[in-house]
Amino acid sequence: MKRLLNWFRLRNLESDLDRELKYHIERRVSDLMLSGLPEPGARRQATLELGGITQVQEEVRDIWLTQWLRDFAYDLRFSARAFLRSPSFSATAVLSLALGIGATTAIYSLIDQVVLHALPVHEPQRLVLIDWKGDGAGVNAFGSYNLMPYPLCRDLHLQDQFFDGVLCRAVTTINLSTSGDPRLAAAEIVSGTYFSVLGVRPALGRLLTTDDDQTPGATPVVVLSYDFWKAQLAGAPDVVGRKVLINKHPMTVVGVAARGFHGIDVGEVPSLWIPAAMSAQAIPGFNGMLDHRTFWMQVLGRLRPDMTLAQAQAGLQPWFKTMLDEDTRRAGFPAITPERRQRFLASTLELTPAPQGHSTLRRRLSQPLWVLFAATALLLGLACLNVAGLFLARGSAREREVSTRLALGASRGRIGRQFLADSILLALAGGLLGVVLAPLAMKVLIAFLPRDAAANALQSVINTRLLRFAFLASVATGLLTGFAPALQAGRRSLISSLRERGGTARGGLRLRRVIVMAQIAFTLILVVGAALFIRTLTALLTKGPGFDTSSLISFGIDPASKRLLVVRSRGSFAAFMTKSVL
Amino acid sequence: MPSSRFPIPQGTLDMLILQILSLEPAHGYGIAQRLQQISRSVVQVNQGSLYPALHRLEQKRWLRSEWRPSETGRDAKFYSLTSSGRKQLKVEKECWARLTGAIQLVFDEDN
């Protein structure tokens, strides 16, 4: 145990050793100087006598670690041999741990992708989401959450005592044609500050700047995402300068964004970025870019390094108040009731940390995901208990082996560690199998999510972060599983157990009772949870949407077909549809 | 290197350290000096292997250590023998006596 502690306290030991050696050198130097040596010479000789300080440190470090590791490796070998001798026991244990670890890893992967993963940009922790709190008296709003008008974003960008910069963005779907047939593509309409505020670099050419975002309609340029460039344009090196058609408007590709940058929303991966100045072209029929009452963009800011969130939020309010006042006098301010006007004037700006960017998917999924994670953690806990129970049963069968080892002089700690090695080895095997199973579980989970949101955003791949999680989960599982049996090891008095000649297994009876009780409790929670879930699901399925859905169809129009329909009136559209469907 | 000094036989350094510490607790530098004095500079201890040996013995719980002021006033790490260290020293002394006795017997056979 002491060595295990040593391992964790290595840093502490280091400084200790450092001090110890320094003391030695100082003493030697002063002794040598007393005998007439000048200081530099004395110092050199003192170091030389030690054979080099680094060498000594290395050697001592080796002593700390190798002993422990060597013993542990020996334990693992012994455990592996024991497991191979009882394959059915091992298979049961590994399989139940694999299920637990695999499920937990799968859910964690989704949580990691949706909730935890910070944007691959410069200092993501300084990003904040700026949101309008109150009644914006908007006449026009589309998009999802946290919407703001574009002019406000421009004004906020000028508040440079709080922000290093402010960006805004909106997602849309455009009709894109690069060379052949047009197809639908996700695009992000962004302010000219977008890339510079995020600190994203180009992989090719240049990115959008504020110059691209001055006069509406004057700068037909786009930046492609790295993945789109690689997948759809085969990574063509001469892509910069090419023309693409966006909703039939020609625009020039000026660059490709850095690899790994997928916009700021995990749920909406854009193929390209269009400056807000071209929003009228990117969103057919839209001309609200400069309108103060059209809410359509999310605004994110980068706080100055010396600014806290609270300071910035408090500091912004007076300025915001003045702006609200101005707004009411502006032409085009809607005629609203005095009551609503009051609410409008009481609006404030709200800042929230946004190192992970903005995501509607996260809003919708983070809570269910955490619930699911808790449920799988419970499942893993159950697997631990199962295996711990198995271990205890096996432990009683091994009583004689343990007694013999004790009689031969093994310490109880040594035997306890052997038991821990057993469980850790099993858990690692289970973890390995779990990681193999996890992508399967992830695919199933992603298929369960609403298709539009999750399909292209979430991936069922194992990355290093996930492997690290699975490894930690396995080790924790192993420690948890082995803890009870290890404590139980060698509890009984040596003489009585040797005398008993393979006798009855009484050891750990109370412990096993506790484990069985915990198992029942855990299982009950899970069964009740699952039953409730199934009931809700069936209820929803039988209830339907609340109206008669027989012989109703839903449809979308595919713009890839060349015979694009020009709709002149609602009547002609209905006539066309009737003709096509019937 | 003067030929009158020879390197300490493998495995005996631990025993010598235990012996020195059985008299009184000492820090690393003190042990090095005492080794030098007691053996009248005949046995040459590589000071570089002293500290690894100390840590190895501490790991085996034959020694314990604590920081306290040394004779110069500065804090130094003092090692002292534990009870199991004392037992170990006794065992090693016996082994040594039997070994040297046996070897002496072999030599005596010659005459």
Side-chain angles (χ1 to χ4, degrees):
Chain A
M1 201 58 207
K2 190 175 178 192
R3 288 195 193 105
L4 184 63
L5 279 181
N6 277 356
W7 205 20
F8 294 118
R9 288 186 332 201
L10 211 52
R11 210 166 278 270
N12 209 347
L13 283 170
E14 287 292 347
S15 69
D16 216 47
L17 178 63
D18 227 39
R19 256 173 90 198
E20 189 178 15
L21 291 179
K22 209 169 272 165
Y23 179 82
H24 179 105
I25 299 264
E26 293 305 322
R27 284 293 298 271
R28 185 70 188 144
V29 166
S30 65
D31 279 3
L32 284 172
M33 278 166 69
L34 277 181
S35 65
L37 226 57
E39 207 208 311
R43 195 161 284 279
R44 196 162 45 237
Q45 187 173 343
T47 317
L48 216 62
E49 281 172 351
L50 264 183
I53 292 178
T54 346
Q55 276 83 342
V56 174
Q57 281 174 335
E58 282 293 316
E59 222 168 309
V60 173
R61 235 174 264 149
D62 278 358
I63 288 170
W64 292 337
L65 266 181
T66 48
Q67 188 69 30
W68 191 82
L69 284 179
R70 204 183 307 136
D71 287 357
F72 195 68
Y74 175 80
D75 285 346
L76 284 182
R77 251 203 330 269
F78 186 86
S79 308
R81 275 206 300 268
F83 286 137
L84 287 181
R85 255 183 280 137
S86 50
S88 59
F89 166 82
S90 322
T92 318
V94 167
L95 212 63
S96 53
L97 289 179
L99 282 180
I101 295 174
T104 319
T105 308
I107 304 276
Y108 177 79
S109 145
L110 294 187
I111 289 188
D112 184 56
Q113 289 182 57
V114 175
V115 186
L116 298 177
H117 188 40
L119 292 177
V121 300
H122 177 65
E123 293 186 36
Q125 66 281 359
R126 273 167 54 203
L127 292 179
V128 292
L129 180 73
I130 308 170
D131 196 14
W132 188 301
K133 205 170 171 225
D135 190 335
V139 289
N140 240 328
F142 59 89
S144 46
Y145 297 97
N146 314 117
L147 296 172
M148 303 268 258
Y150 177 74
L152 182 58
C153 166
R154 274 195 181 177
D155 292 346
L156 276 167
H157 182 65
L158 300 177
Q159 301 301 308
D160 56 2
Q161 71 268 42
F162 305 114
F163 300 111
D164 273 352
V166 170
L167 65 91
C168 54
R169 49 82 73 172
V171 284
T172 187
T173 306
I174 50 146
N175 187 354
L176 171 71
S177 94
T178 44
S179 49
D181 284 342
R183 76 191 120 207
L184 290 182
E188 209 170 353
I189 299 175
V190 299
S191 63
T193 54
Y194 183 85
F195 289 105
S196 59
V197 169
L198 288 177
V200 174
R201 298 186 173 288
L204 208 66
R206 68 171 179 90
L207 299 175
L208 299 178
T209 65
T210 38
D211 292 338
D212 299 316
D213 190 26
Q214 293 298 331
T215 328
T219 43
V221 293
V222 296
V223 166
L224 301 181
S225 83
Y226 188 89
D227 291 348
F228 180 83
W229 173 54
K230 278 282 175 206
Q232 305 294 329
L233 300 173
D238 61 337
V239 68
V240 174
R242 269 199 211 177
K243 289 258 191 294
V244 293
L245 285 178
I246 292 188
N247 298 338
K248 293 197 169 169
H249 297 281
M251 299 200 191
T252 312
V253 176
V254 292
V256 176
R259 182 181 187 164
F261 178 69
H262 299 126
I264 60 172
D265 188 339
V266 283
E268 317 257 4
V269 179
S271 304
L272 45 83
W273 288 274
I274 305 170
M278 301 305 289
S279 54
Q281 285 73 25
I283 310 172
F286 176 71
N287 57 4
M289 173 192 167
L290 293 176
D291 182 32
H292 284 255
R293 297 269 70 77
T294 299
F295 287 71
W296 62 295
M297 295 186 113
Q298 281 109 20
V299 179
L300 276 86
R302 177 179 289 283
L303 283 181
R304 284 174 59 108
D306 54 348
M307 230 346 112
T308 67
L309 189 100
Q311 281 171 340
Q313 174 153 334
L316 277 171
Q317 300 313 328
W319 167 81
F320 188 59
K321 275 269 172 300
T322 330
M323 203 215 68
L324 288 175
D325 266 349
E326 269 174 43
D327 267 8
T328 55
R329 287 191 295 276
R330 214 184 294 277
F333 190 78
I336 51 175
T337 60
E339 210 176 281
R340 195 159 171 219
R341 193 188 191 84
Q342 210 70 62
R343 281 208 305 274
F344 172 78
L345 287 172
S347 297
T348 53
L349 280 182
E350 188 182 45
L351 270 53
T352 42
Q356 297 95 1
H358 174 271
S359 172
T360 39
L361 189 65
R362 183 177 314 126
R363 259 180 102 103
R364 276 162 57 192
L365 289 186
S366 69
Q367 207 188 352
L369 276 179
W370 282 116
V371 171
L372 217 53
F373 187 65
T376 46
L378 211 60
L379 190 72
L380 183 57
L382 200 58
C384 282
L385 284 175
N386 276 334
V387 177
L390 281 177
F391 261 118
L392 277 183
R394 183 164 170 268
S396 343
R398 280 171 72 181
E399 195 107 327
R400 272 181 69 76
E401 175 205 328
V402 171
S403 311
T404 313
R405 291 180 67 183
L406 280 172
L408 289 175
S411 68
R412 267 184 53 191
R414 191 72 182 65
I415 288 175
R417 199 173 62 188
Q418 173 71 58
F419 276 47
L420 267 188
D422 275 5
S423 63
I424 287 181
L425 186 72
L426 267 192
L428 284 180
L432 207 66
L433 192 59
V435 166
V436 174
L437 292 179
L440 221 72
M442 283 186 240
K443 269 204 197 93
V444 174
L445 274 171
I446 292 174
F448 251 109
L449 298 174
R451 224 186 68 78
D452 57 314
N456 56 351
L458 299 175
Q459 291 147 352
S460 58
V461 288
I462 300 280
N463 53 24
T464 41
R465 241 194 341 273
L466 216 54
L467 281 181
R468 208 158 48 212
F469 172 83
F471 177 75
L472 285 180
S474 304
V475 171
T477 307
L479 287 176
L480 223 61
T481 315
F483 191 60
L487 276 186
Q488 203 61 37
R491 244 314 144 66
R492 305 183 54 197
S493 92
L494 185 54
I495 316 238
S496 71
S497 65
L498 268 184
R499 213 181 269 149
E500 251 166 41
R501 302 206 142 254
T504 51
R506 280 176 304 135
L509 204 57
R510 198 189 319 152
L511 192 65
R512 262 189 284 165
R513 251 185 232 142
V514 171
I515 285 186
V516 169
M517 248 143 50
Q519 272 175 306
I520 292 175
F522 272 34
T523 319
L524 204 65
I525 295 174
L526 280 182
V527 168
V528 169
L532 280 176
F533 178 69
I534 289 175
R535 234 191 87 74
T536 316
L537 205 63
T538 43
L540 280 178
L541 281 179
T542 50
K543 221 177 189 171
F547 53 85
D548 183 14
T549 53
S550 61
S551 69
L552 282 181
I553 56 164
S554 80
F555 64 90
I557 297 173
D558 177 14
S561 87
K562 284 197 178 130
R563 299 186 313 136
L564 254 186
L565 176 72
V566 181
V567 182
R568 293 214 171 70
S569 71
R570 200 171 284 175
S572 71
F573 180 67
F576 170 77
M577 281 314 296
T578 320
K579 207 168 71 201
S580 314
V581 173
L582 296 180
Chain B
M1 289 290 142
S3 57
S4 64
R5 291 166 53 140
F6 52 88
I8 189 163
Q10 190 91 44
T12 47
L13 177 62
D14 290 5
M15 190 168 66
L16 292 182
I17 291 173
L18 291 177
Q19 172 62 28
I20 286 171
L21 289 176
S22 73
L23 307 175
E24 59 172 334
H27 48 72
Y29 186 66
I31 297 171
Q33 278 188 319
R34 221 145 308 162
L35 272 173
Q36 212 81 21
Q37 289 164 5
I38 297 173
S39 62
R40 293 190 199 88
S41 295
V42 177
V43 175
Q44 176 214 337
V45 178
N46 174 11
Q47 294 189 4
S49 56
L50 176 64
Y51 286 94
L54 282 172
H55 282 263
R56 194 167 50 239
L57 293 175
E58 195 184 0
Q59 196 99 90
K60 289 180 180 164
R61 302 206 199 154
W62 293 339
L63 304 183
R64 67 171 148 257
S65 62
E66 62 172 336
W67 285 90
R68 63 162 190 250
S70 67
E71 57 279 9
T72 58
R74 280 184 53 188
D75 268 7
K77 195 175 178 188
F78 278 80
Y79 293 90
S80 56
L81 229 52
T82 63
S83 57
S84 66
R86 228 166 266 286
K87 259 183 242 157
Q88 179 64 21
L89 176 61
K90 214 175 128 207
V91 170
E92 292 207 8
K93 267 180 172 169
E94 277 164 16
C95 284
W96 181 256
R98 276 167 59 195
L99 182 66
T100 46
I103 290 172
Q104 197 57 48
L105 276 179
V106 175
F107 288 163
D108 289 348
E109 197 86 328
D110 219 22
N111 304 333

